């Protein structure tokens, strides 16, 4: 008798949730009839995407008119309704075999940021219909000690570089939000119990998260966009509202090397930025909570805690 035969179905499903990887679970379905019937009930999944198709972008008015005319002629001449075309390599196809998804993580093959060698930028963004918050951590690193962290009094020193890091992170987060809207628009409708959707990359560069409320907001926005498209208004553009930024930075911060050799790693020009919509009246304590939630563990947590002790500078970015 197999040891799994002694386990109740609920325990087996918990094991499948711990496996999470969709491709591995697909292999598990081939093990036995019992596994084949239980795998679709796993509700915490990890979907690793091997290739991301580029965003086709907005269609020109001429092509849109031509497509509409050809479609009208086809419907007039054809006795059968045309099925809606499906994007090739649509990742949602492999999720149709699962009955109810509660937590979905999507792992992209690589990050989007293009930075100079030795520069590290990490971000975690939370979205609904619009951006709710984004925490950005950036620095340049090199091996070897060199003093404890020192706060930079001159705000303008290195400002151009820090602004470039911020814009890169916000652009990367917005691109991933558009990716979710394009590829997974109907997911929340098909899985009403979906409570969390996270998109990250294998390089650990950034993460975009949508909770249950954010998914409902996004689903409502998708319905409104479809309605606008049916009236010839074109798809709705993702609007980034006026943003308020709280920036902390230092000249250097030294952290443990983590290799057991006793040597530290000096981070040059570290920066911590908490971005929120201007209408969000959160306090400084909320900034710290968001920063620690995003990067509270490991070496990044050391950097965040050091920067939270430094002075905060406020900036504002107009909507785009």
């Amino acid at each position: 008798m197999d040891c799994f035969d002694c386990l109740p179905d609920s325990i087996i499903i918990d094991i499948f949730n711990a496996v999470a990887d969709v491709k591995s679970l697909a292999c598990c379905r081939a093990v036995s009839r019992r596994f084949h019937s239980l795998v679709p009930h796993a509700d915490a999944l990890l979907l690793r995407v091997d290739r991301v198709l580029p965003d086709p972008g907005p269609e020109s008015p001429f092509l849109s008119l031509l497509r509409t005319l050809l479609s009208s002629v086809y419907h007039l001449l054809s006795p059968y309704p045309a099925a809606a075309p499906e994007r090739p390599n649509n990742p949602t196809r492999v999720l149709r075999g699962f009955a109810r998804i509660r937590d979905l993580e999507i792992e992209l093959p690589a990050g989007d940021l293009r930075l100079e060698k030795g520069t590290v930028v990490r971000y975690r963004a939370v979205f609904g219909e619009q951006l709710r918050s984004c925490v950005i951590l950036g620095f340049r690193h090199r091996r070897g000690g060199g003093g404890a962290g020192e706060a930079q009094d001159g705000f303008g020193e290195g400002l151009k570089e820090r602004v470039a890091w911020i814009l890169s992170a916000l652009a990367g987060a917005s691109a991933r939000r558009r990716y979710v809207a394009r590829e997974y628009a109907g997911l929340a409708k098909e899985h009403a119990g979906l409570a969390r959707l996270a998109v990250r990359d294998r390089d650990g560069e950034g993460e975009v998260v949508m909770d249950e409320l954010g998914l409902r907001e996004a689903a409502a926005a998708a319905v409104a966009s479809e309605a606008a498209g049916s009236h010839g208004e074109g798809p709705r553009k993702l609007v980034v509202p006026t943003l308020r930024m709280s920036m902390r930075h230092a000249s250097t911060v030294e952290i443990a090397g983590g290799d057991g050799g006793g040597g530290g790693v000096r981070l040059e020009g570290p920066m911590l930025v908490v971005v929120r919509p201007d209408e969000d009246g959160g306090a400084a304590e909320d900034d710290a909570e968001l920063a620690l939630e995003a990067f509270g563990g490991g070496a990044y947590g050391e950097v965040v805690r050091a920067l939270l002790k430094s002075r905060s500078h406020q900036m504002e970015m107009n909507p785009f």
Side-chain angles (χ1 to χ4, degrees):
M1 176 183 291
D2 194 305
C3 62
F4 279 99
D5 294 335
C6 303
L7 298 176
D9 289 352
S10 60
I11 299 297
I12 300 294
I13 292 174
D14 285 343
I15 293 173
F16 289 153
N17 284 335
V19 172
D21 179 60
V22 170
K23 292 182 180 179
S24 299
L25 290 175
C27 295
C28 290
R29 296 193 68 174
V31 172
S32 66
R33 291 182 179 178
R34 188 186 183 200
F35 278 20
H36 188 273
S37 64
L38 291 179
V39 163
H41 296 283
D43 60 4
L45 304 177
L46 167 62
L47 176 61
R48 290 187 168 95
V49 179
D50 296 325
R51 180 186 173 207
V52 178
L53 295 176
D55 190 343
E59 194 173 46
S60 69
F62 174 75
L63 288 178
S64 178
L65 176 62
L66 182 61
R67 186 185 300 276
T68 301
L69 291 174
L70 291 177
S71 177
S72 301
V73 172
Y74 176 85
H75 286 292
L76 182 65
L77 299 179
S78 175
Y80 304 104
E86 190 173 46
R87 287 175 58 86
N89 299 322
N90 190 334
T92 56
R93 287 182 181 178
V94 298
L95 299 175
R96 291 174 182 165
F98 294 91
R100 183 177 64 90
I101 302 176
R102 172 182 52 83
D103 189 302
L104 176 62
E105 290 197 4
I106 302 168
E107 184 181 81
L108 303 180
D112 307 311
L113 307 184
R114 298 294 178 263
L115 304 168
E116 295 181 3
K117 186 176 181 180
T119 299
V120 176
V121 174
R122 298 288 183 262
Y123 66 87
R124 182 181 189 269
V126 179
F127 276 91
E129 181 183 0
Q130 297 181 343
L131 179 68
R132 287 188 188 171
S133 68
C134 184
V135 181
I136 305 168
L137 180 66
F139 54 83
R140 298 182 304 277
H141 67 87
R142 67 182 179 88
R143 180 72 57 176
E150 301 175 13
Q152 283 185 347
D153 295 328
F155 177 67
E157 184 179 351
L159 179 60
K160 182 178 179 180
E161 181 179 45
R162 293 194 297 274
V163 169
W165 293 352
I166 294 170
L167 292 177
S168 296
L170 289 175
S174 297
R176 292 190 184 183
R177 171 63 178 84
R178 289 195 301 271
Y179 168 76
V180 170
R182 186 180 80 237
E183 299 289 358
Y184 302 89
L187 196 63
K189 188 183 301 181
E190 296 175 10
H191 298 273
L194 185 63
R196 178 178 175 273
L197 173 64
V199 183
R200 54 184 171 84
D201 59 273
R202 292 172 195 169
D203 299 333
E205 190 175 81
E207 182 181 41
V208 167
V209 180
M210 300 178 72
D211 59 13
E212 189 171 5
L213 177 59
L215 287 165
R216 287 202 299 266
E217 290 178 358
V223 171
S225 180
E226 288 180 8
S230 65
H231 290 86
E233 299 177 14
R236 292 176 57 181
K237 181 181 178 182
L238 176 65
V239 177
V240 177
T242 301
L243 300 176
R244 177 169 52 85
M245 305 183 189
S246 174
M247 177 192 291
R248 294 171 172 86
H249 61 102
S251 58
T252 61
V253 168
E254 187 177 353
I255 62 174
D259 55 5
V265 176
R266 174 195 262 184
L267 308 182
E268 297 182 346
M271 170 201 76
L272 174 66
V273 179
V274 178
V275 183
R276 287 187 290 185
D278 187 51
E279 61 267 18
D280 184 351
E285 293 77 10
D286 299 327
D287 288 349
E289 183 179 347
L290 287 171
L292 292 172
E293 181 183 0
F295 304 110
Y300 292 157
E302 291 185 48
V303 183
V304 167
R305 288 178 176 84
L307 290 173
L308 285 174
K309 299 175 184 178
S310 62
R311 179 184 174 188
S312 173
H313 300 273
Q314 302 298 318
M315 298 190 303
E316 186 176 287
M317 177 181 289
N318 294 327
F320 60 91

